[in-house]
Amino acid sequence: VIRFMNQEGGLERGDAEWGPFRIAVLHYASDPMTFFSASTLYRQPAWLAEPRAPDVSSALRWYPVVTMLQLSADMFVANSAPPGFGHNFAGVHHVRAWLALMEPKGWSPADIQRLNDLLSQRDRDSGH
């Protein structure tokens, strides 16, 4: 029923059928609100393990206490990140989820590309 995805996909689950009731959750690995946990105080979070998601810097390292404080500070500015990072979701990243959830009739690949182009332009124009 529930599948998770990031900007690169993730709704596909091999041969598993997805029933008529579907929920898609879009999240970015760089979103401190999604992945904040008090356990970061004393344990490295799984999202810092390799391979890392595309928006988690390879320069980021875990340090007890310090990393949790950094995440806490990041939550205050998570909405000011560029579209597609932090807690600022890019419209273009919702298209795959929308297609998988709604299965719209009559949409051609050209229609989908036009929608992607429109949302990409809107994200670029958003001022970030």
Side-chain angles (χ1 to χ4, degrees):
V1 172
I2 301 173
R3 294 190 181 177
F4 294 83
M5 67 178 289
N6 63 20
Q7 61 273 45
E8 292 186 345
L11 295 177
E12 314 77 24
R13 293 289 183 250
D15 295 333
E17 288 292 320
W18 207 6
F21 184 74
R22 304 170 182 181
I23 298 172
V25 177
L26 172 62
H27 62 95
Y28 297 130
S30 60
D31 185 351
M33 293 181 187
T34 300
F35 293 103
F36 180 83
S37 172
S39 66
T40 306
L41 180 71
Y42 56 87
R43 183 179 340 138
Q44 178 175 319
W47 54 267
L48 277 176
E50 299 295 335
R52 292 186 179 191
D55 53 336
V56 176
S57 171
S58 60
L60 186 59
R61 299 287 179 258
W62 176 78
Y63 298 99
V65 181
V66 174
T67 302
M68 191 189 84
L69 293 173
Q70 288 174 321
L71 287 173
S72 299
D74 285 348
M75 290 195 313
F76 287 101
V77 295
N79 287 325
S80 63
F85 297 92
H87 202 67
N88 191 3
F89 294 89
V92 71
H93 294 157
H94 290 81
V95 174
R96 271 187 266 170
W98 175 71
L99 291 168
L101 293 172
M102 303 305 296
E103 296 181 341
K105 303 287 185 237
W107 276 72
S108 70
D111 294 329
I112 295 166
Q113 185 59 52
R114 277 195 302 279
L115 178 59
N116 278 323
D117 293 345
L118 174 72
L119 292 172
S120 293
Q121 185 61 49
R122 189 194 74 177
D123 290 336
R124 283 191 297 274
D125 293 344
S126 69
H128 289 99

